[in-house]
Amino acid sequence: MRVSGTRSRMGAIGGAVVVGVSLAACGSSSPRAQNGDTLSPKQASAYAKSEFTAQDREAATVLAPEAGSFLAGMQTVTPLGSTTPADGDTLPYGMWPVTATVGSLHAGDVLVDNDADASGQLGAGTSIVDVEPNGSVRTFADIPRTVAGCPGGVGLTSALVQLRTGWVVVGSLPTQNGKVSTAGQGCLLVLSSTGALVGTISGPYIDGPWGAALRDDGSTATLFVSNTLVGIKGSTTAPVRQGDVIRLTLSQSATSKPTVTAEAEVANGFPEQVDPSVLITGPSGLTLGSSGTLYVADTVGDRIVSIAGALTASGPAGTGTTLSQGGQLAHPLGLALAPDGDLLATNATNGKIVEVTASGRQVGEYYADQDVDQDPPGADELWGLAVNRAGTGVLFAKDEAGTLDLLH
């Protein structure tokens, strides 16, 4: 179970912490722990003994993937490698499939960052690992805990992208003791393609950056970032409706690190809330559709929203237009775009990945983490996710297990 400012660990196998279901060796395939069509007896018992909201119970029901959906037929989970670096950082949050070979990165690798340090302190993780296709894992970057230009220090978040030119940008929402009362404003950290820290992006438009989405045009790029600390004071748990999403226009080249040439707020008024077990909740996952529509995971609102014309909008669109709400969505966190244009979201309340069409219809779910040691099963276990480079499966990481897995 969760404790304030830290997360529990139940055991370790081969350097990767594992809870509940044992995993096959990296590089081998294993069937899912449950068939996904019904709750396991342990899950049913956990729900029966708990006091959940009506929405939590609705999200626990089964929604088998419809024929033709992206998740349809996906029954196998293949562990790809550990996400735990040499320094012992924990809680894999952000991930990015590498699509081009540049620097020390190779097409097919997956970058994964960690939010907590070896003791489980939230907002203190400083490392990014590179998981290679053969299962080898190396530390791509180990960033100092204190960095000039990053208010409050370093504590990595799920805002992680790589530009075509090789530069890597990652968000930081740091704390001094794992609590929001000591959180700093944070920044975006800029790394070279070999993992060296080369600069920061900070300012009044960056305040607790949590999610990111990218449109990369080569010499220029558009980076969207969600902020979760705007207006948050101290450790009060009362909701504050000031979370926002900003658009940064970047200039870049293979030899010149990305710099901000313009910034704009494209959405605001999202609810944010201090949660001692996970630090904070607010607008989190972002993904950009091919038409320029930005999708935002409104975590506290149990919904996914759309913002049309986000690439060119001159002003904020409030909290956007509700695309899908409730149902299987239970505090959605990570967002990814499937090859067919559907959205994939991870739930914070349980360990599910939910598929939503571009019209907002929920067409399937997969219970990726059924850890009954959490309440509900799989709670706070899934964060970031991504579609693999081949477009044939879903990459996700389990917080407790510390592994990068592929659902296919």
Side-chain angles (χ1 to χ4, degrees):
M1 309 307 293
R2 302 299 191 224
V3 294
S4 178
T6 62
R7 298 197 178 194
S8 61
R9 287 293 178 268
M10 306 300 293
I13 298 178
V17 180
V18 179
V19 175
V21 181
S22 62
L23 298 177
C26 293
S28 64
S29 296
S30 60
R32 59 204 296 185
Q34 307 292 341
N35 62 19
D37 294 331
T38 59
L39 292 176
S40 70
K42 284 187 177 181
Q43 285 178 303
S45 175
Y47 275 99
K49 295 176 181 177
S50 304
E51 295 181 1
F52 298 126
T53 66
Q55 174 53 36
D56 290 341
R57 291 183 179 278
E58 183 179 1
T61 60
V62 175
L63 180 62
E66 293 183 4
S69 66
F70 184 67
L71 291 178
M74 293 190 181
Q75 296 286 326
T76 302
V77 173
T78 299
L80 301 181
S82 171
T83 60
T84 305
D87 66 3
D89 276 0
T90 58
L91 306 187
Y93 272 17
M95 64 183 63
W96 185 267
V98 177
T99 57
T101 298
V102 57
S104 63
L105 298 173
H106 299 84
D109 294 359
V110 182
L111 293 177
V112 183
D113 70 25
N114 288 276
D115 174 77
D117 63 14
S119 71
Q121 179 179 304
L122 301 172
T126 60
S127 59
I128 302 174
V129 299
D130 178 7
V131 182
E132 299 178 356
N134 64 3
S136 298
V137 179
R138 68 179 182 88
T139 298
F140 169 71
D142 191 1
I143 304 164
R145 188 73 174 87
T146 301
V147 170
C150 197
V154 172
L156 302 183
T157 70
S158 56
L160 175 64
V161 302
Q162 183 198 23
L163 301 172
R164 289 184 192 175
T165 47
W167 306 102
V168 173
V169 180
V170 61
S172 174
L173 192 170
T175 72
Q176 299 305 309
N177 61 1
K179 299 180 180 180
V180 172
S181 58
T182 65
Q185 182 178 332
C187 69
L188 301 177
L189 299 153
V190 181
L191 310 172
S192 73
S193 58
T194 59
L197 178 65
V198 297
T200 62
I201 297 172
S202 62
Y205 47 83
I206 299 291
D207 196 357
W210 201 260
L214 178 68
R215 166 72 176 269
D216 197 337
D217 297 312
S219 61
T220 62
T222 303
L223 179 64
F224 295 92
V225 178
S226 58
N227 286 308
T228 58
L229 278 180
V230 186
I232 294 290
K233 304 296 183 184
S235 58
T236 178
T237 57
V240 175
R241 292 186 173 273
Q242 294 189 43
D244 66 9
V245 179
I246 56 138
R247 181 184 69 220
L248 302 177
T249 304
L250 304 177
S251 174
Q252 59 166 328
S253 74
T255 56
S256 299
K257 67 183 180 182
T259 58
V260 177
T261 59
E263 67 268 352
E265 189 179 48
V266 298
N268 56 22
F270 289 102
E272 313 160 300
Q273 193 166 16
V274 173
D275 182 343
S277 66
V278 295
L279 192 61
I280 195 166
T281 55
S284 51
L286 305 177
T287 195
L288 191 65
S290 58
S291 65
T293 297
L294 182 69
Y295 299 98
V296 184
D298 177 3
T299 304
V300 179
D302 280 323
R303 64 183 190 137
I304 297 172
V305 307
S306 62
I307 301 170
L311 287 166
T312 57
S314 59
T319 58
T321 300
T322 298
L323 178 73
S324 188
Q325 185 172 27
Q328 290 290 321
L329 295 175
H331 278 50
L333 284 173
L335 278 184
L337 191 69
D340 61 1
D342 285 0
L343 300 172
L344 302 171
T346 56
N347 277 343
T349 297
N350 56 35
K352 286 187 177 185
I353 297 171
V354 182
E355 182 173 353
V356 180
T357 68
S359 63
R361 196 163 62 89
Q362 298 177 18
V363 293
E365 50 85 8
Y366 179 84
Y367 216 132
D369 192 308
Q370 304 181 62
D371 178 9
V372 295
D373 290 322
Q374 306 303 337
D375 191 12
D380 300 331
E381 290 296 324
L382 299 181
W383 290 83
L385 81 165
V387 173
N388 67 338
R389 181 169 172 256
T392 57
V394 184
L395 295 161
F396 65 94
K398 299 178 182 179
D399 273 5
E400 294 281 6
T403 56
L404 176 66
D405 294 338
L406 174 67
L407 168 65
H408 56 106

